[in-house]
């Protein structure tokens, strides 16, 4: 996203299941339908049980192995800022018996557990014995054909790599990993979603109660009693990647998403939001709405309530949660 200056809404990976492999490809938004150019991919080799992730025209330096080191600090459009993700992911994969290797900048990075009982986690970086030829070829064309280059791209392999002790990645395990994102068209993308600059309102019932940050699932948010699903475009998650750090920020982002959705689709969305206020006041979807809603949105809600009451006088009983309409005075 950073190298190709992608807008959040331009990031639209799609899923394909072929005879020998499963692939998830990020198409070049300049050619979204021809799919002859791509910016990155995930490939699963069914026979070998190996997962390959390729990021076109990217780099990774040895400093990335330092805890706390990150290239995403201060970049609100990118997820991750603690400088632990790569290291923790490689460690977990290695402990689970998968071989992990990175190919980048004409070097091979190999991770392993060493010492008694695997007490030391090591990474050995070695220069590639042979450089790729024809490095001037179009990167997006090669990536679209699921081919990466060690001198130009960052490629991560997980699973078997001609090692009898390596454990293959089962296909069902890969599919479980894919549940951590909602971005993949044809696999995990919601059937009904309203996109806004603040984030996305997910109306697909399968995503009820789920909250994502920049397309990545925040597991702890399921305990926050959201009635619908959300994908936040901004925010920082906690160190354990379970939820947003700032609950006030979370409530305000939800409010902004709803107000934009109502502006775009007032006829459809205003009754849904009014129903949340009326029947589910404790839901996180409307948390602090009485303090955060814009005056224009408040007026729309009252106009909707008046319309329901046929423009007659009405009152709301907080005790019994019913609306009572009467005659005009």
């Amino acid at each position: 996203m950073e190298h190709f200056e992608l807008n959040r809404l331009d990031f639209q990976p799609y899923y394909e299941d072929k005879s020998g492999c499963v692939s998830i490809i990020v198409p070049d938004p300049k050619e979204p339908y021809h799919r002859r150019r791509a910016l990155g991919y995930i490939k699963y080799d069914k026979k070998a049980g190996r997962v390959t992730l390729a990021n076109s025209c990217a780099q990774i330096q040895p400093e990335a192995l330092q805890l706390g080191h990150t290239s995403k600090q201060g970049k609100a459009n990118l997820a991750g800022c603690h400088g632990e993700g790569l290291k923790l992911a490689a460690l977990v994969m290695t402990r689970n018996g998968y071989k992990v290797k990175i190919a980048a900048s004409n070097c091979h990075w190999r991770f392993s557990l060493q010492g008694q009982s695997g007490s030391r986690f090591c990474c050995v970086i070695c220069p590639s014995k042979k450089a790729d030829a024809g490095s001037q070829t179009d990167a997006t064309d090669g990536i679209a054909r699921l081919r990466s280059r060690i001198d130009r791209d960052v490629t991560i392999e997980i699973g078997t790599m001609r090692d009898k002790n390596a454990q293959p990645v089962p296909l069902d395990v890969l599919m479980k990993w894919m549940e951590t994102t909602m971005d993949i068209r044809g696999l995990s993308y919601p059937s009904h979603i309203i996109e806004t600059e603040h984030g996305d309102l997910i109306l697909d019932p399968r995503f009820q109660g789920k909250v994502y940050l920049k397309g990545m699932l925040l597991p702890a948010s399921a305990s926050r009693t959201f009635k619908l699903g959300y994908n936040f475009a901004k925010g920082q998650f906690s160190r354990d990647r379970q939820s947003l750090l700032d609950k006030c920020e979370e409530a305000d982002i939800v409010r902004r998403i709803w107000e934009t959705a109502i502006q775009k689709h007032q006829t459809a969305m205003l009754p849904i939001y009014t129903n949340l206020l009326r029947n589910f006041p404790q839901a996180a979807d409307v948390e602090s709405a009485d303090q955060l809603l814009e005056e224009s949105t408040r007026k729309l809600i009252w106009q909707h309530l008046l319309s329901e009451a046929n423009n007659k006088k009405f009152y709301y009983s907080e005790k019994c949660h019913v609306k009572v309409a009467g005659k005009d005075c």
Side-chain angles (χ1 to χ4, degrees), residues 17-85:
D17 189 346
K18 302 178 181 178
S19 58
C21 73
V22 166
S23 65
I24 299 163
I25 299 177
V26 181
D28 186 339
K30 297 175 184 176
E31 292 189 7
Y33 303 109
H34 299 294
R35 294 181 175 176
R36 293 191 298 264
R37 298 163 59 88
L39 312 180
Y41 67 81
I42 299 174
K43 175 184 176 182
Y44 175 75
D45 187 317
K46 294 181 179 180
K47 182 177 180 180
R50 180 171 60 249
V51 182
T52 303
L53 304 90
N55 198 356
S56 179
C57 300
Q59 293 184 348
I60 186 170
Q61 303 299 330
E63 291 80 5
L65 295 175
Q66 298 175 2
L67 284 175
H69 177 86
T70 177
S71 60
K72 303 170 191 165
Q73 192 68 42
K75 299 175 181 177
N77 64 315
L78 302 178
C81 62
H82 298 297
E84 299 172 343

Side-chain angles (χ1 to χ4, degrees), residues 8 11-17 22-27 35 40-43 51 53 174-191 193 195 200 204 206-207 212 214-216 231:
R8 180 181 74 90
F11 182 74
Q12 298 184 9
Y14 65 92
Y15 172 83
E16 286 187 335
D17 189 346
V22 166
S23 65
I24 299 163
I25 299 177
V26 181
R35 294 181 175 176
Y41 67 81
I42 299 174
K43 175 184 176 182
V51 182
L53 304 90
L174 173 69
M175 292 296 105
K176 190 68 177 178
W177 293 348
M178 293 300 102
E179 293 178 6
T180 61
T181 177
M182 53 150 280
D183 285 323
I184 305 171
R185 273 65 178 173
L187 181 65
S188 63
Y189 194 69
S191 61
I193 185 171
E195 298 173 333
D200 307 321
D204 187 330
R206 296 176 302 153
F207 293 80
Y212 298 79
K214 303 166 189 175
M216 298 170 60
N231 177 34

Side-chain angles (χ1 to χ4, degrees), residues 5 20 37 49 60 77 95 100 105 109 122 126 131 147 153 159 181 184 194 196 232 263 303 314 319:
E5 299 180 343
R37 298 163 59 88
I60 186 170
N77 64 315
R95 281 184 170 174
V100 179
S105 305
W109 303 35
C122 302
C126 299
R147 298 176 182 174
D153 312 317
T181 177
I184 305 171
I194 297 177
T196 79
F232 301 150
Q263 291 170 10
Q303 288 169 4
F314 72 93
K319 183 177 180 180

Side-chain angles (χ1 to χ4, degrees), residues 262-316:
I262 290 171
Q263 291 170 10
K264 288 185 173 182
H265 308 281
Q266 180 176 324
T267 302
M269 303 313 301
L270 188 57
I272 297 176
Y273 192 70
T274 303
N275 178 62
L276 288 172
L277 290 169
R278 175 186 286 161
N279 297 313
F280 305 98
Q282 303 304 317
D285 310 66
V286 292
E287 185 174 345
S288 303
D290 57 331
Q291 304 171 37
L292 297 173
L293 283 178
E294 297 284 349
E295 182 66 23
S296 58
T297 306
R298 297 170 190 259
K299 289 181 178 179
L300 287 175
I301 293 170
W302 280 109
Q303 288 169 4
H304 176 72
L305 293 172
L306 277 170
S307 176
E308 282 189 339
N310 295 319
N311 290 317
K312 298 178 180 180
K313 299 292 183 181
F314 72 93
Y315 69 91
Y316 179 77

